[in-house]
Coordinates of all heavy atoms in Angstrom, one line a residue:
V1 N 11.0 11.5 -0.7 CA 11.4 11.3 -2.1 C 11.0 9.9 -2.5 O 10.6 9.6 -3.6 CB 12.9 11.5 -2.2 CG1 13.4 11.2 -3.7 CG2 13.3 13.0 -1.9
S2 N 11.2 8.9 -1.6 CA 11.0 7.5 -2.0 C 9.6 7.1 -2.0 O 9.2 6.2 -2.7 CB 11.7 6.6 -1.0 OG 11.1 6.6 0.3
G3 N 8.7 7.9 -1.3 CA 7.3 7.5 -1.2 C 7.0 6.5 -0.1 O 5.8 6.2 0.1
I4 N 8.0 5.9 0.5 CA 7.8 5.0 1.6 C 7.9 5.7 2.9 O 8.9 6.0 3.4 CB 8.9 3.8 1.6 CG1 8.9 3.1 0.2 CG2 8.6 2.8 2.7 CD1 7.6 2.5 -0.2
V5 N 6.7 6.1 3.4 CA 6.6 7.0 4.5 C 6.4 6.3 5.9 O 6.3 6.9 6.9 CB 5.5 8.1 4.3 CG1 5.9 8.9 3.1 CG2 4.2 7.4 4.1
G6 N 6.3 5.0 5.8 CA 6.1 4.2 7.0 C 5.9 2.7 6.7 O 6.0 2.3 5.5
N7 N 5.7 1.9 7.7 CA 5.4 0.5 7.5 C 4.0 0.4 6.8 O 3.8 -0.5 6.0 CB 5.4 -0.3 8.8 CG 6.8 -0.4 9.3 OD1 7.8 -0.3 8.6 ND2 6.9 -0.6 10.6
E8 N 3.1 1.2 7.2 CA 1.7 1.3 6.6 C 1.2 2.7 6.7 O 1.6 3.5 7.5 CB 0.8 0.3 7.2 CG 0.6 0.4 8.7 CD -0.3 -0.7 9.2 OE1 -0.1 -1.8 8.9 OE2 -1.3 -0.3 10.0
W9 N 0.2 3.0 5.9 CA -0.4 4.3 5.9 C -1.8 4.3 5.2 O -2.1 3.3 4.5 CB 0.5 5.4 5.3 CG 0.8 5.1 3.8 CD1 0.1 5.5 2.8 CD2 2.0 4.4 3.3 NE1 0.7 5.1 1.6 CE2 1.9 4.4 1.9 CE3 3.1 3.8 4.0 CZ2 2.8 3.8 1.1 CZ3 4.0 3.2 3.1 CH2 3.9 3.2 1.8
Y10 N -2.5 5.3 5.3 CA -3.8 5.4 4.6 C -3.6 6.0 3.3 O -3.0 7.1 3.1 CB -4.8 6.3 5.4 CG -6.2 6.4 4.8 CD1 -7.1 5.3 5.0 CD2 -6.5 7.4 4.0 CE1 -8.3 5.4 4.4 CE2 -7.8 7.5 3.4 CZ -8.7 6.4 3.6 OH -9.9 6.5 3.0
D11 N -4.0 5.3 2.2 CA -3.9 5.7 0.9 C -5.2 6.3 0.4 O -6.2 5.6 0.3 CB -3.5 4.5 0.0 CG -3.2 5.0 -1.5 OD1 -4.1 5.4 -2.2 OD2 -2.0 4.9 -1.9
R12 N -5.2 7.6 0.1 CA -6.4 8.3 -0.2 C -7.0 7.8 -1.6 O -8.2 7.8 -1.7 CB -6.2 9.8 -0.2 CG -6.0 10.4 1.2 CD -5.8 11.9 1.1 NE -4.4 12.2 0.6 CZ -3.9 13.4 0.5 NH1 -4.6 14.5 0.9 NH2 -2.7 13.6 0.0
E13 N -6.1 7.5 -2.5 CA -6.6 7.1 -3.8 C -7.3 5.7 -3.7 O -8.3 5.5 -4.4 CB -5.5 7.0 -4.8 CG -4.9 8.4 -5.2 CD -3.9 8.3 -6.3 OE1 -3.6 7.2 -6.8 OE2 -3.4 9.3 -6.7
E14 N -6.7 4.8 -2.9 CA -7.3 3.5 -2.7 C -8.4 3.5 -1.7 O -9.2 2.5 -1.6 CB -6.2 2.5 -2.4 CG -5.2 2.3 -3.5 CD -4.2 1.2 -3.2 OE1 -4.6 0.2 -2.6 OE2 -3.0 1.3 -3.6
G15 N -8.4 4.5 -0.8 CA -9.4 4.5 0.2 C -9.3 3.5 1.3 O -10.3 3.0 1.8
R16 N -8.1 3.1 1.6 CA -7.8 2.1 2.6 C -6.4 2.2 3.1 O -5.6 2.9 2.5 CB -8.0 0.7 1.9 CG -7.0 0.3 0.9 CD -7.3 -1.0 0.2 NE -6.2 -1.3 -0.8 CZ -5.2 -2.1 -0.5 NH1 -5.1 -2.7 0.7 NH2 -4.3 -2.4 -1.4
R17 N -6.1 1.4 4.2 CA -4.8 1.4 4.7 C -4.0 0.4 3.8 O -4.5 -0.7 3.5 CB -4.8 0.9 6.2 CG -5.3 2.0 7.1 CD -5.1 1.6 8.6 NE -3.7 1.6 8.9 CZ -3.0 2.8 9.3 NH1 -3.7 3.9 9.3 NH2 -1.7 2.7 9.6
V18 N -2.8 0.8 3.5 CA -1.9 -0.1 2.7 C -0.6 -0.3 3.5 O -0.2 0.5 4.4 CB -1.6 0.6 1.3 CG1 -2.9 0.7 0.6 CG2 -0.9 1.9 1.5
T19 N 0.2 -1.3 3.1 CA 1.5 -1.4 3.6 C 2.5 -0.9 2.6 O 2.2 -0.7 1.5 CB 1.8 -2.9 4.0 OG1 2.0 -3.6 2.8 CG2 0.7 -3.5 4.8
S20 N 3.8 -0.9 3.0 CA 4.8 -0.3 2.2 C 5.0 -1.2 0.9 O 5.6 -0.7 -0.1 CB 6.1 -0.2 2.9 OG 6.5 -1.5 3.5
A21 N 4.6 -2.4 0.9 CA 4.8 -3.3 -0.2 C 3.6 -3.9 -0.8 O 3.6 -4.8 -1.7 CB 5.9 -4.4 0.1
S22 N 2.4 -3.6 -0.2 CA 1.2 -4.3 -0.7 C 0.8 -3.9 -2.1 O 1.1 -2.8 -2.6 CB 0.0 -3.9 0.2 OG -0.2 -2.5 0.3
D23 N 0.3 -4.9 -2.8 CA 0.0 -4.7 -4.3 C -1.1 -5.6 -4.7 O -0.9 -6.8 -4.8 CB 1.2 -4.9 -5.1 CG 1.0 -4.6 -6.6 OD1 -0.1 -4.4 -7.0 OD2 2.0 -4.6 -7.3
L24 N -2.3 -5.1 -4.8 CA -3.5 -6.0 -5.2 C -3.4 -6.5 -6.6 O -4.1 -7.5 -6.9 CB -4.8 -5.2 -5.0 CG -5.1 -4.7 -3.6 CD1 -6.4 -3.9 -3.7 CD2 -5.3 -5.9 -2.7
N25 N -2.4 -6.0 -7.4 CA -2.3 -6.6 -8.7 C -1.4 -7.8 -8.8 O -1.1 -8.3 -9.9 CB -1.7 -5.5 -9.7 CG -2.7 -4.3 -9.8 OD1 -3.9 -4.6 -10.0 ND2 -2.3 -3.1 -9.7
T26 N -0.9 -8.2 -7.7 CA 0.0 -9.4 -7.7 C -0.6 -10.5 -6.8 O -1.6 -10.2 -6.0 CB 1.4 -9.1 -7.2 OG1 1.3 -8.6 -5.8 CG2 2.0 -8.0 -8.0
R27 N -0.1 -11.7 -6.9 CA -0.6 -12.8 -6.1 C 0.6 -13.4 -5.3 O 1.7 -13.5 -5.8 CB -1.2 -13.8 -7.0 CG -1.8 -15.1 -6.4 CD -2.5 -15.9 -7.4 NE -1.7 -16.3 -8.6 CZ -0.9 -17.3 -8.6 NH1 -0.7 -18.1 -7.6 NH2 -0.2 -17.5 -9.8
L28 N 0.4 -13.9 -4.1 CA 1.4 -14.5 -3.3 C 1.7 -15.9 -3.8 O 0.7 -16.7 -4.1 CB 0.9 -14.6 -1.8 CG 2.0 -14.9 -0.8 CD1 3.1 -13.9 -0.7 CD2 1.3 -15.1 0.6
L29 N 2.9 -16.2 -4.0 CA 3.3 -17.6 -4.5 C 3.8 -18.4 -3.3 O 4.7 -17.9 -2.6 CB 4.5 -17.4 -5.5 CG 4.1 -16.7 -6.8 CD1 5.3 -16.6 -7.7 CD2 3.0 -17.5 -7.5

């Protein structure tokens, strides 16, 4: 239900491994 299925997983839409909180649209401060 939440969409958080692990610490990381392969995202088919992005074509890469992602983490549960990764977001390329943001920048680390």
